């Protein structure tokens, strides 16, 4: 099942909290919502001790249950008595894995946020810069609970907020009517941002210096929020870690077919939309999740693909396919793109993103010996990849040939060890690298907004996804440890225990946290606190400069320029041309029929 979940969506990345409490006086804030009390915690990073006030499990929306299921979230409002914010709220309903973290309490009443406030004086009189994290997990799994903001907050002196939002069918059912309008999971995130805008001042935060960041599907959500003009004023920067806008299969017109699949699996009548809606409103969240689990563990790709509810072009939150919008932005003006270009951006990917897809082929041990023959490359890997890329659309043979040619090392075309790396490159380029570069180019092209790009290269001692030795770089999610200052326990989900990161990783973490929080404080990753290895240059379409994070950071240029050209320009142009050629042949053929006689005398 795990494999199928990864296949339809993206990898679940869980970080698990270490619950090390140290009691001190009880921190408390009095806001217009009422009094909220929290707890102070001590953390250690690189031998130094820090203190952070945590306010956990604050409801920002009414429980999205009963009549509110599938509905846009309603603000929670104020507390009738002092709210004791010392426990995480439940995570939103999702499958439970054998390796599920201990904090796996799930409930439909799940719209909570967690706030980490440093004990240091703010860097500006206006208050602490604020970083709101949107978790990943393919929009089907995950929770804010797993991302401990304690170290990032207290070491670098910013407020960190983590949130839950509705997942899967409960977050994205869209059956084309007001009763299930779609994208409510994204609206949850938007409401959490409004909550932060209205209330973070009480916690010592500066509502005019909010940055949103996220990884994987959470990164895609960050980009989507940056394309939603109603967010104007709610944040001024975004950090997208390995997740852009043009992911294949990300947007649908609605989720009616998915809804019908659930209704049928639940034994309901599913002829009309009303019947489907009634069925899905009455079902328990457990049975809805069970349908998901059964379908994704069935081994049947079609069933698995029938249960993944995605964002929809609902006409409100999303008015156009956002991936297509990036293409059209070169020649047309869109309100979404204008808003996108008004928000500062750090965008990046890991060095071997595509290595994540190797996990579909076996465990780390078996992957050590993994090799790909030319025959397999041509008949399995490339056609398989191309099929995922273009969904149900038939792909012209010439496109397959083009992809084979691009992903062949012509010095050594049949070397199985080169070929396996080409498979990693192929998946990485298509799913992550070229969408990311395309997004950054659109962001900065013809705009003077601050835009930055990174590539996270180093293979960590314990990669989140176990990788064979021949994979030389970091893969999907590996930057998360450094971004959060390793304040998590990977035992349950990733079976990584007693991990003490080596000193070079902690140094790297120090630098990454500094760049991220500088960006949150000033909009420039190099200010106000330098002391970093290199000055991170702005990204623009001519120089295409970016930072390479590694054991020693450096500056590079033209990151993934070739694959971006290939996937975003050449392949679409060839597809257009073959479609066009076909149309011409058809027209020409018709004309011939009409005007030529059997002896070939025409006209
Ligand atoms: C977490 O899940 C396990 C196995 O499904 C279960 O035994 C345990 O009670 C759950 N813990 C919580 C806190 O819900
Ligand atoms: C930048 O935009 C111009 C038109 O506004 C377009 O011609 C050009 O191709 C774009 N450059 C990139 C790298 O996207
Ligand atoms: C977890 O890792 C240990 C070795 O570190 C291994 O023996 C064990 O089989 C692993 N468990 C799972 C569930 O993968």
């Amino acid at each position: 099942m795990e494999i199928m979940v990864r296949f339809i969506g993206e990898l679940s990345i869980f970080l698990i909290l270490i619950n090390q409490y140290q009691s001190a006086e009880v921190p408390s804030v009095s806001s217009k919502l009422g009094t909220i009390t929290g707890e102070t915690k001590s953390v250690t990073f690189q031998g130094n001790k820090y203190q952070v006030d945590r306010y956990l499990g604050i409801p920002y929306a009414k429980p999205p249950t009963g009549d509110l299921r599938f509905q846009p979230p309603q603000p929670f409002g104020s507390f009738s008595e002092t709210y004791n914010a010392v426990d995480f709220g439940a995570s939103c309903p999702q499958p439970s894995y054998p390796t599920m973290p201990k904090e796996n309490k799930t409930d439909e009443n799940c719209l909570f946020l967690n706030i980490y406030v440093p004990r240091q004086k703010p860097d500006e009189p206006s208050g602490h810069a604020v970083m709101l994290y949107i978790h990943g997990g393919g929009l089907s799994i995950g929770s804010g609970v797993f991302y401990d903001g304690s170290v990032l907050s207290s070491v670098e002196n910013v407020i960190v907020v983590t949130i839950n939002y509705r997942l899967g069918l409960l977050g994205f059912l869209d059956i084309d009517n007001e009763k299930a309008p779609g994208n409510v999971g994204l609206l949850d995130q938007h409401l959490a941002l409004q909550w932060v805008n209205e209330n973070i001042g009480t916690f010592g935060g500066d509502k005019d210096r909010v940055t949103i960041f996220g990884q994987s599907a959470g990164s895609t959500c960050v980009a989507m929020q940056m394309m939603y003009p109603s967010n104007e004023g709610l944040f001024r920067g975004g950090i997208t870690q390995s997740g852009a806008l043009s992911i294949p299969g990300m947007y649908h017109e609605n989720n009616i077919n998915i809804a019908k699949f659930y209704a049928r699996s639940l034994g309901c009548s599913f002829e009309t939309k009303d019947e489907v809606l009634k069925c899905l409103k009455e079902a328990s969240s457990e049975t809805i999740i069970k349908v998901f689990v059964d379908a994704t563990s069935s081994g049947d790709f079609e069933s698995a693909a029938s249960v993944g509810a995605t964002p929809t072009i609902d006409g409100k939150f999303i008015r156009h396919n956002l991936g297509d919008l990036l293409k059209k932005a070169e020649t047309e003006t869109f309100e979404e793109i204008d808003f996108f270009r008004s928000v500062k951006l750090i965008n990046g990917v890991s060095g071997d993103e595509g290595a994540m897809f190797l996990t579909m082929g076996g465990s780390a041990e078996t992957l050590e010996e993994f090799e790909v023959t030319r025959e397999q490359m041509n008949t399995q890997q490339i056609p398989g990849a191309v099929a995922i890329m273009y969904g149900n659309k038939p792909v012209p043979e010439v496109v397959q040939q083009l992809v084979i040619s691009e992903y062949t090392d012509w010095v050594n075309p049949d070397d199985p060890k080169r070929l396996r790396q080409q498979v990693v490159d192929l998946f990485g380029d298509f799913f992550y690298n070229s969408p990311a570069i395309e997004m950054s180019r659109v962001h900065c092209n013809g705009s003077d907004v601050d835009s930055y790009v990174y590539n996270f290269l180093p293979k960590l001692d314990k990669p989140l996804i176990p990788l064979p030795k021949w994979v030389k770089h970091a893969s999907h999610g590996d930057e998360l440890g450094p971004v959060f200052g390793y304040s998590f326990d990977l035992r349950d989900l990733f079976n990584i225990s007693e991990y003490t990161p080596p000193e070079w990783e902690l140094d790297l973490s120090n630098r990454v946290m500094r760049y991220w929080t500088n960006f949150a404080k000033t909009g420039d990753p190099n200010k106000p606190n330098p002391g970093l290895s290199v000055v991170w240059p702005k990204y623009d379409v001519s120089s295409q400069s970016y930072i390479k994070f590694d054991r020693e950071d450096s500056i590079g240029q033209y990151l993934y320029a070739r694959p971006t050209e290939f996937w975003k320009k050449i392949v679409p142009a060839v597809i257009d041309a073959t479609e066009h050629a076909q149309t011409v042949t058809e027209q020409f053929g018709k004309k011939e029929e009409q005007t030529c006689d059997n002896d070939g005398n025409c006209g």
Side-chain angles (χ1 to χ4, degrees):
M1 178 186 97
E2 209 176 335
I3 287 165
M4 294 308 269
V5 170
R6 281 177 189 171
F7 203 63
I8 24 172
E10 287 185 311
L11 178 71
S12 63
I13 300 296
F14 291 98
L15 301 178
I16 302 130
L17 292 174
I18 311 170
N19 288 307
Q20 287 172 330
Y21 292 96
Q22 293 216 345
S23 45
E25 85 249 39
V26 173
S28 154
V29 297
S30 291
S31 71
K32 62 181 179 204
L33 300 179
T35 302
I36 303 174
T37 57
E39 206 158 36
T40 303
K41 186 190 171 191
S42 289
V43 293
T44 304
F45 184 74
Q46 286 197 309
N48 297 316
K49 255 195 167 177
Y50 302 85
Q51 288 207 313
V52 61
D53 292 340
R54 314 193 311 177
Y55 302 87
L56 308 179
I58 300 176
Y60 65 88
K62 295 205 170 103
T65 54
D67 284 345
L68 293 182
R69 181 186 277 183
F70 305 131
Q71 293 302 306
Q74 307 286 316
F76 183 86
S78 52
F79 302 106
S80 50
E81 49 193 59
T82 297
Y83 189 78
N84 192 20
V86 295
D87 291 318
F88 288 108
S91 301
C92 293
Q94 59 189 282
S96 137
Y97 296 86
T99 45
M100 191 86 175
K102 287 178 217 75
E103 314 253 2
N104 60 351
K105 196 170 45 167
T106 64
D107 194 280
E108 210 176 337
N109 175 11
C110 61
L111 299 181
F112 299 98
L113 52 77
N114 313 301
I115 305 175
Y116 301 81
V117 183
R119 277 293 178 102
Q120 305 178 42
K121 213 165 103 271
D123 61 306
E124 295 272 348
S126 51
H128 291 288
V130 179
M131 298 183 72
L132 181 139
Y133 187 70
I134 302 179
H135 71 78
L139 304 179
S140 299
I141 43 185
S143 166
V145 170
F146 308 130
Y147 300 84
D148 182 354
S150 303
V151 171
L152 182 62
S153 162
S154 60
V155 173
E156 291 297 338
N157 200 22
V158 294
I159 288 181
V160 175
V161 180
T162 64
I163 63 169
N164 295 349
Y165 56 92
R166 279 173 281 175
L167 303 168
L169 189 76
L170 293 166
F172 294 92
L173 178 68
D174 177 346
I175 52 178
D176 258 0
N177 68 21
E178 287 302 313
K179 291 171 198 149
N183 295 332
V184 297
L186 291 162
L187 290 169
D188 293 343
Q189 298 167 5
H190 169 69
L191 183 64
L193 279 160
Q194 282 178 321
W195 192 99
V196 165
N197 182 264
E198 285 164 22
N199 298 297
I200 205 68
T202 322
F203 294 82
D206 179 352
K207 69 175 171 50
D208 296 323
R209 289 194 298 159
V210 176
T211 296
I212 55 177
F213 66 133
Q215 187 268 344
S216 196
S219 168
T220 304
C221 289
V222 167
M224 287 174 172
Q225 297 293 347
M226 288 176 70
M227 298 272 265
Y228 182 50
S230 302
N231 278 325
E232 177 142 28
L234 298 184
F235 52 84
R236 64 167 195 174
I239 305 177
T240 47
Q241 302 168 207
S242 303
L245 285 162
S246 54
I247 292 173
M250 192 54 151
Y251 311 99
H252 292 104
E253 290 297 322
N254 54 54
N255 281 323
I256 291 169
N257 289 336
I258 288 167
K260 282 186 180 169
F261 183 92
Y262 276 89
R264 195 178 60 197
S265 307
L266 291 164
C268 297
S269 161
F270 56 93
E271 291 307 315
T272 69
K273 288 179 194 171
D274 283 345
E275 283 171 335
V276 170
L277 183 65
K278 183 168 183 293
C279 170
L280 298 179
K281 285 196 88 156
E282 285 170 3
S284 70
S285 62
E286 288 81 5
T287 56
I288 289 174
I289 297 302
K290 188 169 181 304
V291 173
F292 180 89
V293 171
D294 290 348
T296 48
S297 54
S298 66
D300 169 24
F301 181 69
E302 213 164 303
S303 305
S306 305
V307 289
T310 64
T312 51
I313 302 169
D314 63 340
K316 288 186 183 139
F317 194 98
I318 299 179
R319 287 182 290 175
H320 311 271
N321 179 320
L322 300 178
D324 292 348
L325 218 52
L326 295 182
K327 281 195 211 98
K328 294 183 185 155
E330 265 184 29
T331 50
E332 290 174 58
T333 311
F334 294 93
E335 204 190 340
E336 290 95 328
I337 299 285
D338 288 345
F339 178 60
F340 180 54
R341 287 180 176 152
S342 74
V343 180
K344 299 167 198 290
L345 174 68
I346 287 179
N347 175 33
V349 286
S350 294
D352 271 325
E353 290 283 350
M356 175 180 83
F357 293 90
L358 290 171
T359 54
M360 292 190 288
S363 66
E365 294 86 66
T366 59
L367 287 172
E368 287 303 341
E369 307 304 324
F370 180 73
E371 288 188 347
V372 177
T373 63
R374 166 53 56 190
E375 167 83 11
Q376 286 168 331
M377 186 74 171
N378 290 5
T379 61
Q380 293 168 25
Q381 307 286 353
I382 300 261
V386 169
I388 299 174
M389 291 162 195
Y390 293 98
N392 298 324
K393 221 167 116 183
V395 182
E397 177 61 22
V398 64
V399 173
Q400 307 254 20
Q401 294 302 328
L402 192 63
V403 177
I404 290 171
S405 161
E406 182 70 10
Y407 288 88
T408 292
D409 175 356
W410 288 106
V411 176
N412 234 338
D414 297 322
D415 177 357
K417 293 201 164 65
R418 278 298 297 146
L419 283 164
R420 67 185 181 191
Q421 180 61 42
Q422 301 284 0
V423 171
V424 170
D425 293 346
L426 167 69
F427 279 96
D429 287 347
F430 184 78
F431 277 95
Y432 298 104
N433 305 337
S434 59
I437 296 303
E438 175 193 45
M439 187 168 90
S440 280
R441 286 184 184 175
V442 171
H443 187 247
C444 64
N445 195 5
S447 149
D448 56 9
V449 67
D450 296 339
S451 202
Y452 298 88
V453 169
Y454 74 85
N455 197 209
F456 186 87
L457 289 165
K459 195 164 174 189
L460 305 180
D461 266 20
K462 297 268 186 184
L464 289 194
I465 311 161
L467 296 173
K469 289 193 192 67
W470 57 267
V471 171
K472 291 286 177 267
H473 298 117
S475 184
H476 200 58
D478 282 338
E479 84 290 357
L480 281 171
V483 165
F484 283 92
Y486 289 93
S487 57
F488 53 87
D489 177 352
L490 296 171
R491 195 164 22 224
D492 291 321
L493 204 83
F494 291 100
N495 196 24
I496 295 174
S497 54
E498 291 166 24
Y499 182 41
T500 312
E503 205 54 33
W504 74 264
E505 283 189 29
L506 293 172
D507 287 342
L508 170 70
S509 171
N510 214 336
R511 301 196 300 277
V512 169
M513 289 197 293
R514 178 64 57 82
Y515 284 118
W516 263 225
T517 54
N518 271 347
F519 179 74
K521 287 173 186 169
T522 66
D524 179 344
N526 306 295
K527 290 178 189 155
N529 298 313
L532 300 164
S533 49
V534 298
V535 174
W536 186 346
K538 276 197 211 176
Y539 187 84
D540 61 60
V541 290
S542 54
S543 75
Q544 298 180 33
S545 302
Y546 68 99
I547 193 169
K548 296 181 193 184
F549 289 117
D550 210 329
R551 285 170 185 254
E552 282 183 15
D553 307 333
S554 59
I555 304 303
Q557 278 183 290
Y558 312 112
L559 179 64
Y560 300 124
R562 177 164 182 147
T564 305
E565 188 69 16
F566 181 76
W567 288 111
K568 296 298 173 188
K569 291 267 161 66
I570 313 250
V571 171
V574 170
I575 289 181
D576 277 358
T578 48
E579 280 168 1
H580 180 68
Q582 199 162 346
T583 315
V584 170
T585 313
E586 278 162 12
Q587 284 171 350
F588 187 63
K590 248 188 217 142
K591 202 172 170 200
E592 249 183 355
E593 239 166 59
Q594 284 160 0
T595 57
C596 299
D597 65 24
N598 287 343
D599 299 327
N601 302 317
C602 302

